[in-house]
Structure formats: C-alpha cells, structure tokens
C-alpha cells in the first residue's frame, strides 16, 4: 500500500463553500425522489444506494480528516462521494440490476446524467471536469496512468471510502439473520461451490480480480477480498482491519485448499500494512 501524503493541499483547491455543498445535497435528494416507485423491490434498492451514498460521504470525510485535509479539500471530496453512484438509480430503474455487465457502466452513466442535468454548471470548467473524471474512474479495475496528481489523489480517496461501505453492505448482507436473498446484491450469480482458477490466481498474486472472470458467488466474494490490495490510505486500511470485513467474507466461503491459501496471502499482506 502506498500511503499518499498531503502535499496536494498546497495546490489551488476548488472552493466549494458550505452553502454550495448544501445545494448539491439538496439536488441529489430531489433527484432520487424522482425514482420513487410503487414496486417494493425498486424502492428497496433505490434506498440501498441512497444510504450507501450517505455513508460514503461520511467515510470519505472520516478518512480525509485523519489525513488532515483542509475544509476545501474535504468538501470537494464529499462532492465526489455524493455523485459517484448517481448512475445507480437510473441503472436500477431501467435495467432492474446493479450488474454493469448486464446493463451499462454505472460510472459512465453517472457522468452522462451529471452533464445532462447541468447540476455542476456553477463550478468552473476545470473543477467540473475533475468531478466527471473522478466519477468515471471510481469503479475501474485500474486507474489511468496519464492523470494529474490531484485527480488521482481524490479518485483514490473515493475508491477507499466506496470500498469501505461496499464491504459494510456486503458483510451485513452475508451475516443477515432473515436469510432473504437479494439478487441485486448477489448480481444474479449462481451459488456453486468452487473458486475459479483465474480469480484464485489473481488474489494469491496480490492482484485485483478482473470482474470478467467472476463465474459464481464465491468468485464474487474472493473479488471483494482482493480489494484489500487496492486500499490507498492508512486510515481506510485501519478501518478495514478494525471492522473485520475480510474475516467475515472468508467465513461465508466454503472451506477449501484455495481459500486457505487466499487467507494466508491476504492476512500476511494486511499484517504488514497495520504498522
Ligand atoms: Fe459506491
């Protein structure tokens, strides 16, 4: 894990005051109200993403404060968190799935929605474009090489905050008492017992799992474990360790030699990051 320092704060920051931030929050809540539906399934999944967004905003502020970011930088990072999954609502309403491979890339869709709405028109061109790029990169397997330090810094911050909350949603789901399945969370994957070779190979080589190699629910869980190799900031890694997310996900995968090896590699990696 590469810990990124705070020197970026010295650059000219985009200035978003409290009032403007409140305008963006109000816009967001009005926007998602338009997805109110009589269908219980739609209502629940829209609410799931609304609550996820609220918590990602909180997570990003917590990480940012632990990194001693200044108020301007905190508000800008909160703005990226607020809009990072704006594409999810239209995606679910239109396709009834959160699986990008069955519908469309929710990050790209989000950028289209932001552009069409004009909600960011009150920002200057470069700040607006920065938000669009960060939103479009937030779910990529790897980040673009040709980007500014500032863009990569905020994208990494967002990716850490986003992952922390996805781990929360998934582990809450795996440990649920009611046993009710949510195919939107499981991405309609089959619950077969094996772990695919390509998924296994990626994790034991400390690489992020390519979503295209995910064949079943176990693969999806191993992919979630592998996100540990893409945590950028120490406060996020500390939260991941403190909240036991990796252990919980491992506990809901059937025991096997492959799982044993995955645990070994991941635990060794996490232990190294803890200091
Ligand atoms: Fe998200």
């Amino acid at each position: 894990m590469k810990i990124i320092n705070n020197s970026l704060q010295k650059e000219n920051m985009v200035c978003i005051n409290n009032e403007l931030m409140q305008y963006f929050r109000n816009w967001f809540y009005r926007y998602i109200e338009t997805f109110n539906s009589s269908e219980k399934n739609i209502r629940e999944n829209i609410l799931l993403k609304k609550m996820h967004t609220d918590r990602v905003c909180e997570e990003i502020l917590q990480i940012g404060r632990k990194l001693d970011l200044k108020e301007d930088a905190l508000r800008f990072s909160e703005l990226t968190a607020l809009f990072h999954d704006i594409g999810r609502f239209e995606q679910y309403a239109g396709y009834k799935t959160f699986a990008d491979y069955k519908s469309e890339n929710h990050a790209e869709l989000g950028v289209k929605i932001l552009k069409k709405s004009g909600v960011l028109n009150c920002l200057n061109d470069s700040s607006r474009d920065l938000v669009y790029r960060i939103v479009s990169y937030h779910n990529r397997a790897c980040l673009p090489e040709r980007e500014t330090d500032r863009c990569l810094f905020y994208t990494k911050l967002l990716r850490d905050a986003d992952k922390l909350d996805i781990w929360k949603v998934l582990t809450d789901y795996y440990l649920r008492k009611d046993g009710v399945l949510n195919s939107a969370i499981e991405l309609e994957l089959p619950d077969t017992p094996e772990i695919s070779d390509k998924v296994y190979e990626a994790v034991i080589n400390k690489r992020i799992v390519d979503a295209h190699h995910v064949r079943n629910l176990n693969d999806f869980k191993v992919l979630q474990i592998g996100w540990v190799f893409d945590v950028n900031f120490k406060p996020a890694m500390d939260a991941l360790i403190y909240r036991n997310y990796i252990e919980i996900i491992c506990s809901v995968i059937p025991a096997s030699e492959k799982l044993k090896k995955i645990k070994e590699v991941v635990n060794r990696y996490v232990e190294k990051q803890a200091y």
Side-chain angles (χ1 to χ4, degrees):
M1 176 176 54
K2 196 171 152 225
I3 307 290
I4 297 155
N5 70 35
N6 259 347
S7 58
L8 291 156
Q9 288 184 79
K10 296 186 186 86
E11 291 184 33
N12 281 336
M13 296 304 304
V14 183
C15 188
I16 296 168
N17 60 26
N18 276 328
E19 203 183 344
L20 188 53
M21 196 58 229
Q22 195 53 49
Y23 162 79
F24 291 133
R25 288 189 203 107
N26 293 343
W27 184 92
F28 174 78
Y29 292 120
R30 276 200 309 274
Y31 173 76
I32 55 174
E33 268 171 30
T34 64
F35 293 92
N36 222 337
S37 167
S38 53
E39 276 182 60
K40 186 171 173 267
N41 176 43
I42 296 183
R43 268 202 323 273
E44 281 177 0
N45 282 302
I46 296 296
L47 183 64
L48 184 83
K49 288 298 171 188
K50 176 199 171 284
M51 287 164 66
H52 165 67
T53 299
D54 287 345
R55 289 191 304 261
V56 176
C57 288
E58 258 317 298
E59 294 281 9
I60 210 163
L61 290 173
Q62 279 185 33
I63 300 170
R65 285 187 191 114
K66 285 183 183 146
L67 293 173
D68 287 332
L69 294 191
K70 294 201 173 115
E71 281 304 310
D72 279 352
L74 287 172
R75 279 193 291 266
F76 184 77
S77 58
E78 187 188 346
L79 175 64
T80 66
L82 183 68
F83 287 145
H84 83 283
D85 267 351
I86 194 80
R88 285 301 198 188
F89 305 96
E90 200 169 302
Q91 180 185 43
Y92 200 82
Y95 300 97
K96 308 282 187 293
T97 182
F98 290 131
D100 286 6
Y101 74 99
K102 286 188 179 174
S103 53
E104 61 183 300
N105 181 329
H106 74 276
E108 300 297 339
L109 177 60
V111 173
K112 275 187 221 160
I113 292 164
L114 291 174
K115 286 183 176 172
K116 197 173 158 201
S117 70
V119 60
L120 297 176
N121 284 355
C122 49
L123 298 180
N124 62 30
D125 291 356
S126 69
S127 314
R128 194 165 54 240
D129 191 57
L130 185 57
V131 178
Y132 294 154
R133 274 149 50 221
I134 293 166
V135 171
S136 79
Y137 300 153
H138 90 270
N139 66 337
R140 288 200 185 173
C142 44
L143 295 177
E145 282 173 20
R146 291 166 69 95
E147 253 307 347
T148 63
D149 284 350
R150 181 187 292 181
C151 178
L152 291 175
F153 174 81
Y154 284 108
T155 304
K156 287 173 180 177
L157 203 57
L158 174 60
R159 286 162 68 98
D160 277 13
D162 195 21
K163 280 193 191 74
L164 279 179
D165 193 63
I166 301 173
W167 274 317
K168 181 206 154 30
V169 171
L170 292 167
T171 51
D172 282 354
Y173 176 71
Y174 296 145
L175 297 180
R176 72 199 181 284
K177 297 275 185 281
D178 62 12
V180 177
L181 293 179
N182 184 336
S183 59
I185 291 182
E186 296 190 351
L187 302 183
E188 300 106 42
L189 290 161
D191 193 5
T192 48
E194 70 282 358
I195 295 171
S196 303
D197 287 342
K198 283 184 178 168
V199 170
Y200 171 72
E201 292 294 330
V203 172
I204 62 161
N205 287 297
K206 299 183 191 143
R207 290 197 314 265
I208 298 298
V209 175
D210 184 334
H212 296 103
H213 296 150
V214 169
R215 297 280 173 268
N216 63 17
L217 210 47
N218 285 335
D219 288 351
F220 186 43
K221 289 171 183 167
V222 174
L223 174 145
Q224 294 150 17
I225 292 170
W227 286 337
V228 71
F229 305 121
D230 190 35
V231 173
N232 300 287
F233 297 96
K234 190 159 186 315
M237 182 59 87
D238 291 345
L240 165 68
I241 295 168
Y242 182 76
R243 299 175 197 176
N244 278 333
Y245 290 148
I246 300 297
E247 232 171 86
I248 295 170
I249 300 172
C250 286
S251 75
V252 292
I253 300 175
S256 68
E257 279 306 307
K258 280 182 175 171
L259 180 65
K260 203 172 144 196
K261 180 73 184 162
I262 288 169
K263 278 185 189 173
E264 254 174 55
V265 171
V266 171
N267 287 341
R268 212 177 306 133
Y269 179 82
V270 168
E271 274 167 27
K272 267 195 194 166
Q273 309 305 321
Y275 300 102

